[in-house]
Amino acid sequence: MNNQPILLVLGMFPWDYSHLSDTIRSMVKSMKHSRLIYINPLAEDRAFTTKWQSKRKENIEIWNPPFSFLPTRYGIHRLREKFSAHSLEQQVVKELGADWRQKTIMYVTPTTLEQSYEYVSALNPEKLILDILDDNLNFPSISEEKKIKLTEMLRSISEQATTVTAVSQYLVDQTKQLLHREDIHYLPNGVDVKMFKTIEDGELADIEAIPHPRVTFVGAITTWIDLPLIERVANMLADTQFILIGPIDPAIEDDSKIRKLKSMENVHFLGAKPYNQVPQYLHASDVLLLPRTMDPYSLACDPLKLYEYLATGKPVVSTNHPSINRFLDFVYTGKTDEEIALGIREALTRGKESIDLQQSVINSLSWETRMNQLMDLVNKNERKTVSLK
């Protein structure tokens, strides 16, 4: 274990954020290295300090950036990121030693692209993982002008990266063209198998009050969730209860689609839940629903919820999203409302063969598996010169 490199990871969410899971924190928890450092993208508490603060959670060191007293509005967050990046090298040398580059692997994603760019530029690490988790450049809220700047930042990070991975084949193909490099590796997401496979006794009060059959979606309710599809299928299956669990994106909270769903007798919004309660809600359900849209930025992702759903052993019904292609032997899928409704009916009465097929792949979907595959790629690339197209 002492021969393992130090891992310096820039996070997507603060470490203690409990309402949503993400690839980075989930994978960090599975890591077995001599030293693990998780950099919070934002300080957990606003404080008038210009110094990095650190704490420990079990085997993980959590670093909180300084300058949290600066506001996020009017682009001032960019100054905060630049100031934090400038002081990060001093923090790294102080904590890891002057030779930190020889013994440290840095990990970043485009999810925090501007911050990743500043930190990578400031530190200039010898070994750098760029893990592409979403099509961040094509989110609807990003202007063309901003997209050009972000693309330049991503290419700059890529030029320094010794290992580049992407969670979907869509992203692999897209990134090869965008970054002009061929060595982009497909590395899908994973799941905490033990957490989601374990069945807790009893049901939580709010879902217990809802009759069966229960069809449940858990996750952030955003523009890439097909809300009109849920409405139409819920109308078709009036004797089935549709349950949505998760925070609603403020941008669509007052949308007519949300209001329509909230008015339906067999649709139930239970709100955001602590992540440690999610398995209980899933196990209390009869069918788990993944109603992803076919928008490009949705097609590019590899939803964590799919893996969490599969690990429960419960039947899964999904729109025709590319992420489910390797699970078509036991995931019910459809392109139309009628096909989704039929999939739900069939899932409620599925046979032993489908159950056994799903059970046979669960253990191979663990975060430990993903982490081992990632480190294999890092070791393979360690002595190679990055090949740019």
Side-chain angles (χ1 to χ4, degrees):
M1 188 171 179
N2 291 333
N3 295 326
Q4 290 278 357
I6 299 167
L7 282 174
L8 184 66
V9 177
L10 174 58
M12 181 188 308
F13 293 113
W15 184 260
D16 291 329
Y17 183 69
S18 64
H19 291 304
L20 287 174
S21 60
D22 65 86
T23 296
I24 304 173
R25 286 181 297 166
S26 299
M27 197 165 62
V28 165
K29 291 173 185 176
S30 75
M31 293 176 178
K32 308 237 182 316
H33 286 74
S34 58
R35 195 164 180 184
L36 288 170
I37 300 165
Y38 182 89
I39 302 176
N40 272 335
L42 296 170
E44 292 170 319
D45 299 302
R46 294 189 71 175
F48 195 85
T49 178
T50 59
K51 296 184 181 298
W52 284 82
Q53 307 292 318
S54 63
K55 66 178 184 179
R56 179 174 287 275
K57 283 284 185 78
E58 297 179 351
N59 66 320
I60 300 163
E61 295 174 49
I62 300 162
W63 290 4
N64 281 301
F67 305 103
S68 61
F69 55 87
L70 293 176
T72 58
R73 294 175 303 218
Y74 313 118
I76 296 176
H77 71 285
R78 293 289 291 122
L79 286 176
R80 183 178 63 200
E81 288 161 359
K82 287 178 181 292
F83 292 156
S84 297
H86 181 73
S87 62
L88 179 57
E89 186 175 11
Q90 295 175 341
Q91 168 75 2
V92 169
V93 171
K94 173 188 169 187
E95 294 293 331
L96 305 183
D99 63 342
W100 70 270
R101 287 184 179 86
Q102 285 76 51
K103 58 188 180 183
T104 302
I105 300 171
M106 188 174 184
Y107 171 103
V108 298
T109 76
T111 309
T112 51
L113 184 50
E114 292 170 315
Q115 195 171 28
S116 294
Y117 169 77
E118 297 295 346
Y119 286 10
V120 168
S121 299
L123 292 181
N124 190 26
E126 280 189 11
K127 293 185 274 292
L128 175 65
I129 298 168
L130 173 60
D131 196 6
I132 300 172
L133 308 177
D134 280 300
D135 185 13
N136 301 91
L137 298 180
N138 287 312
F139 281 0
S141 59
I142 296 178
S143 68
E144 282 301 314
E145 182 182 4
K146 182 73 174 287
K147 182 178 177 178
I148 292 170
K149 292 179 181 178
L150 293 176
T151 300
E152 291 173 355
M153 290 181 180
L154 183 59
R155 285 177 175 157
S156 175
I157 296 171
S158 170
E159 287 173 2
Q160 290 190 254
T162 48
T163 302
V164 183
T165 56
V167 294
S168 70
Q169 192 58 50
Y170 184 107
L171 280 174
V172 169
D173 297 337
Q174 180 189 73
T175 305
K176 283 181 178 181
Q177 292 186 351
L178 183 69
L179 301 183
H180 308 301
R181 60 185 292 172
E182 288 298 315
D183 58 336
I184 315 294
H185 302 278
Y186 172 53
L187 189 65
N189 275 314
V191 64
D192 184 336
V193 173
K194 182 179 178 182
M195 177 180 181
F196 282 87
K197 203 172 183 179
T198 303
I199 303 174
E200 299 285 342
D201 292 334
E203 294 182 352
L204 296 162
D206 51 359
I207 197 168
E208 186 178 24
I210 300 171
H212 293 271
R214 301 167 182 159
V215 176
T216 299
F217 166 78
V218 176
I221 300 168
T222 64
T223 55
W224 50 78
I225 301 304
D226 196 337
L227 299 174
L229 171 74
I230 298 173
E231 177 195 336
R232 294 190 298 267
V233 175
N235 274 321
M236 295 170 68
L237 302 176
D239 59 342
T240 301
Q241 306 303 309
F242 289 79
I243 302 168
L244 285 78
I245 298 172
I248 301 175
D249 184 344
I252 65 168
E253 197 158 11
D254 292 326
D255 192 281
S256 60
K257 302 183 192 74
I258 295 288
R259 293 199 301 271
K260 176 62 177 175
L261 284 170
K262 286 185 174 181
S263 72
M264 297 176 67
E265 289 187 3
N266 65 330
V267 177
H268 312 267
F269 285 80
L270 300 189
K273 303 295 179 183
Y275 186 59
N276 61 5
Q277 291 183 359
V278 170
Q280 272 187 279
Y281 282 101
L282 297 182
H283 280 285
S285 304
D286 301 298
V287 174
L288 304 177
L289 184 63
L290 190 67
R292 282 276 180 162
T293 67
M294 296 297 110
D295 297 315
Y297 56 88
S298 176
L299 293 173
C301 75
D302 187 36
L304 291 180
K305 282 294 162 276
L306 172 61
Y307 298 90
E308 293 168 356
Y309 286 1
L310 292 174
T312 66
K314 293 282 183 173
V316 178
V317 177
S318 173
T319 49
N320 196 29
H321 192 274
S323 61
I324 55 95
N325 286 345
R326 61 196 183 113
F327 305 118
L328 289 177
D329 286 342
F330 47 83
V331 170
Y332 300 85
T333 183
K335 295 181 181 179
T336 66
D337 304 344
E338 291 76 15
E339 289 173 347
I340 293 295
L342 177 61
I344 290 171
R345 292 191 190 100
E346 291 181 346
L348 287 168
T349 58
R350 68 173 177 162
K352 184 177 183 299
E353 182 180 359
S354 175
I355 295 171
D356 290 345
L357 282 170
Q358 184 170 335
Q359 290 291 338
S360 69
V361 304
I362 289 174
N363 288 333
S364 68
L365 305 177
S366 70
W367 287 118
E368 290 81 3
T369 298
R370 187 180 201 268
M371 188 60 205
N372 290 338
Q373 292 171 341
L374 179 58
M375 294 313 300
D376 285 346
L377 290 171
V378 170
N379 294 333
K380 181 179 178 182
N381 295 335
E382 190 168 357
R383 292 183 176 86
K384 288 185 177 179
T385 302
V386 174
S387 173
L388 295 180
K389 192 174 178 181

